[in-house]
Amino acid sequence: MSKAANDVVISGVGIVTCQGVGKEAHIALLSAESTPKAIVETEKFKPYPVHPLPEIDWSQQIAKRGDQRQMENWQRIGVFAAGLALDDAGFKDNIEACGTMDMIVAAGGGERDINVDTLIVDEGLKRNDRELLLNEKLTTELRPTLFLAQLSNLLAGNISIVHKVTGSSRTFMGEEASGVSAVETAFWRIRSGESTHALVGGAFAAERPDMILLTEAIGAHTRGEWAPLWSRSDLEGGGMITGSAGAFLVLESRKHAEERGAHIYATISAVEGDRGNRAAGNFEVRLERLLKPAADLSPESTAIFSGSTGMHEIAAREKAVLEHQLPGAAIRGFGGVSGHTIEAQFPLGLALAALAIDAKAKVPPFDAAHEAPMKAGTKAAVVTTVGHQRGEGVAVLSAEA
């Protein structure tokens, strides 16, 4: 692959999943000699299995206790992962560089105070003046900092406050597709020369009853047992098992990264998202088109990091397209070991792909019954995400040499 000054490269990786904190834990995951162990919480939200957060010392990236207290876990995870990425890229203490850095975040609808929600529902069973009740409780029960924490763009705001990333900022909402839009926007801003460096990513807190309710309301969440991602058709429920995670990346132009001597994990050669009706073969046609930039990759050394939800029908349809379009490449349904992370899923797939390429890892099967071993170390990767209701995205990454 020829190199150009405005190639988009990954120079920083910040990642937190149930598998551990930081890149070392995930390099170990990607380099393991056998299928990694699932880390699943099965009792706390029974009957719904969830991939939980690992133990985290928040003060490693969020020094002030006051900053930690005014965030809920969704924001803590995101701010923490963003700090890891900035540290990894060598930008953490560079005020000038952070001051000109773009920040693009994929976010959900903020967070709720479950206790207040429950109080309002319980009181509403006893009173008929529910509009008055609602106003009373919202003005007396919500603390101001929590009210602000419910705003989607406060994740970006807290990253700015804690890590001094104060260049342009934008937040995308829209479930899995928001992660695709965030990465795609950063990619094209750098490729076009509008920007030289950007922080992009997202976070998801799965260990919340309201989040489980949202997925269960459409019959998406698995109930009862856990199984690897492609092996869930016999489980009760829809096939999705969510996970708490954060993933942020520092993207730079090649020129900007090389001039400061940065370590380059991988080059992103293509990113694109799309959406539309999935009936009558439309999904397959759309995904095949998105995968065209990966057509010439060597299958022996290519890993496909599928961000599949695990939902039965659409997961099977995605896997069939991947096997047809990229025969011989190693498909890895990473949501089986991390949990499905909604807005963070696409950045998480990119983080895993970058680490695998940099380590030249022979990524082990995450579902031994449905994934074949790799024949060689990873030199290129394809990252996909297929939204649980709508939206698809694909990125293609390659090694530096």
Side-chain angles (χ1 to χ4, degrees):
M1 185 185 73
S2 60
K3 296 181 179 181
N6 65 340
D7 285 344
V8 181
V9 302
I10 298 173
S11 60
V13 175
I15 182 170
V16 176
T17 72
C18 62
Q19 297 290 335
V21 175
K23 63 182 185 179
E24 287 77 14
H26 293 87
I27 292 170
L29 170 78
L30 297 166
S31 305
E33 294 185 1
S34 59
T35 299
K37 178 184 176 183
I39 300 172
V40 188
E41 169 60 59
T42 58
E43 294 299 320
K44 188 174 180 181
F45 302 100
K46 200 171 185 177
Y48 306 104
V50 173
H51 293 268
L53 271 182
E55 286 292 323
I56 297 177
D57 179 1
W58 300 110
S59 63
Q60 290 182 351
Q61 293 295 338
I62 310 170
K64 295 181 180 178
R65 294 284 183 182
D67 288 339
Q68 293 178 33
R69 281 196 302 271
Q70 67 88 22
M71 302 180 208
E72 296 296 320
N73 256 5
W74 164 62
Q75 290 189 48
R76 290 190 197 103
I77 298 165
V79 174
F80 190 92
L84 290 177
L86 293 169
D87 261 342
D88 189 42
F91 279 132
K92 187 69 178 297
D93 298 317
N94 189 330
I95 300 298
E96 182 179 352
C98 287
T100 56
M101 180 180 289
D102 286 343
M103 175 167 46
I104 307 175
V105 173
E111 288 184 293
R112 304 191 63 84
D113 188 321
I114 303 298
N115 292 329
V116 175
D117 285 344
T118 304
L119 176 65
I120 290 170
V121 171
D122 289 344
E123 289 292 317
L125 295 174
K126 306 171 189 174
R127 292 171 54 174
N128 291 321
D129 56 341
R130 289 173 186 151
E131 293 83 359
L132 180 61
L133 165 68
L134 186 61
N135 284 333
E136 284 177 4
K137 298 304 179 186
L138 292 180
T139 54
T140 58
E141 300 297 333
L142 284 182
R143 64 185 189 273
T145 53
L146 180 68
F147 179 76
L148 288 172
Q150 292 174 355
L151 301 177
S152 295
N153 61 0
L154 255 292
L155 175 51
N158 275 302
I159 292 171
S160 293
I161 292 167
V162 173
H163 300 308
K164 314 305 180 198
V165 179
T166 54
S168 72
S169 173
R170 53 184 85 175
T171 293
F172 286 95
M173 292 180 65
E175 299 165 341
E176 292 89 350
S178 67
V180 180
S181 295
V183 174
E184 188 177 9
T185 300
F187 175 84
W188 284 112
R189 281 182 63 84
I190 293 170
R191 176 67 75 85
S192 68
E194 265 188 281
S195 176
T196 56
H197 55 306
L199 178 68
V200 59
F204 183 68
E207 297 158 86
R208 293 163 46 192
D210 55 325
M211 288 293 97
I212 294 173
L213 177 62
L214 286 175
T215 50
E216 176 60 0
I218 60 168
H221 210 293
T222 291
R223 296 187 294 275
E225 298 299 317
W226 174 91
L229 189 121
W230 309 112
S231 301
R232 294 178 182 170
S233 59
D234 294 331
L235 295 185
E236 184 183 359
M240 185 190 297
I241 299 176
T242 52
S244 295
F248 272 81
L249 303 164
V250 173
L251 306 185
E252 295 186 66
S253 69
R254 180 181 301 283
K255 182 174 185 291
H256 192 270
E258 288 182 345
E259 284 181 347
R260 68 185 193 88
H263 175 74
I264 294 174
Y265 286 89
T267 302
I268 304 176
S269 57
V271 185
E272 187 176 357
D274 203 350
R275 59 177 287 174
N277 190 300
R278 291 174 172 173
N282 292 329
F283 167 75
E284 284 78 4
V285 170
R286 196 158 54 246
L287 188 56
E288 287 172 5
R289 183 186 67 77
L290 293 174
L291 288 167
K292 282 183 178 179
D296 296 330
L297 298 179
S298 173
E300 292 81 9
S301 56
T302 297
I304 303 172
F305 288 88
S306 166
S308 170
T309 62
M311 293 173 67
H312 311 313
E313 180 198 6
I314 199 66
R317 290 171 69 184
E318 179 193 347
K319 195 163 188 286
V321 173
L322 294 175
E323 290 172 340
H324 180 262
Q325 293 299 109
L326 302 169
I331 300 172
R332 299 292 182 260
F334 65 87
V337 294
S338 66
H340 188 68
T341 62
I342 316 291
E343 293 84 12
Q345 191 74 347
F346 196 60
L348 177 57
L350 282 163
L352 293 171
L355 293 175
I357 288 171
D358 190 56
K360 298 180 177 60
K362 277 189 177 182
V363 184
F366 297 155
D367 183 342
H370 295 92
E371 296 179 353
M374 287 193 75
K375 297 176 181 178
T378 305
K379 293 182 179 178
V382 177
V383 179
T384 72
T385 192
V386 173
H388 64 284
Q389 291 188 290
R390 63 187 71 82
E392 296 82 45
V394 171
V396 180
L397 291 77
S398 58
E400 279 297 281

